[in-house]
Amino acid sequence: MASRHLSRSIVMQSLYEWDFSNQKKDLKKITEKNINEFGPGLEDKSFVWQLITGIIQNISNIDKIIEKAAPEWPIDQITIVDRNVLRLGLYELLYGDKEAVPPKVAINEAIELAKTFSGESSGRFINGVLGTVFKEIQQ
């Protein structure tokens, strides 16, 4: 598994566990545990921390964008996996380094995470929400 894909997977799993605990557990400890458990050979852990930090710093804005882009799905009714895949995808789409991760790569990575951890219909849902946001930022 490619290093950045593995990093995104660790981030998504960490956000899932944190969100599942109603954001009461320590996200840093969860992330450290997940890096050790799922990424023992991961050479560059900085990408994981960059994503985690960026998502948390922008989470309220990201959640507002999710609510706007998927108005029929209140944020608390979106499955925990899908909600956190969207947070990750939107962070990369809106705040990430476009040179290192072009928007279409960010969208494709989010879709793959949804398919892996959630389901086929989740991939379509993630694609729809991120595609909507991408079209809006293009205009």
Side-chain angles (χ1 to χ4, degrees):
M1 185 181 294
S3 178
R4 285 188 170 236
H5 184 75
L6 176 59
S7 294
R8 288 181 185 96
S9 177
I10 290 168
V11 168
M12 195 287 302
Q13 291 174 82
S14 299
L15 289 171
Y16 174 91
E17 186 176 340
W18 175 72
D19 203 4
F20 187 78
S21 74
N22 293 316
Q23 303 175 357
K24 289 184 175 37
K25 286 187 176 181
D26 184 338
L27 182 57
K28 184 177 184 205
K29 288 180 182 173
I30 293 169
T31 305
E32 288 170 350
K33 174 187 65 92
N34 286 339
I35 288 171
N36 292 330
E37 185 174 340
F38 302 116
L42 191 62
E43 291 177 18
D44 184 13
K45 296 169 182 76
S46 65
F47 187 59
V48 171
W49 294 111
Q50 174 191 339
L51 292 173
I52 288 286
T53 304
I55 291 165
I56 296 308
Q57 287 175 346
N58 296 287
I59 198 162
S60 62
N61 190 40
I62 290 169
D63 285 354
K64 287 176 190 165
I65 293 167
I66 292 170
E67 289 173 341
K68 184 179 175 200
E72 65 282 355
W73 286 96
I75 194 90
D76 60 338
Q77 289 183 9
I78 298 172
T79 67
I80 298 174
V81 172
D82 292 353
R83 180 169 54 235
N84 287 294
V85 168
L86 283 170
R87 286 172 173 159
L88 174 57
L90 283 169
Y91 172 75
E92 285 200 279
L93 193 61
L94 300 172
Y95 303 100
D97 178 357
K98 308 291 185 280
E99 300 260 330
V101 182
K104 291 187 180 189
V105 172
I107 292 170
N108 287 337
E109 283 287 328
I111 292 166
E112 289 306 313
L113 285 172
K115 286 180 182 178
T116 300
F117 292 100
S118 194
E120 191 66 35
S121 63
S122 292
R124 288 191 295 273
F125 174 66
I126 299 297
N127 186 33
V129 174
L130 295 180
T132 297
V133 174
F134 180 63
K135 286 176 189 164
E136 285 185 22
I137 61 175
Q138 289 289 80
Q139 296 174 353

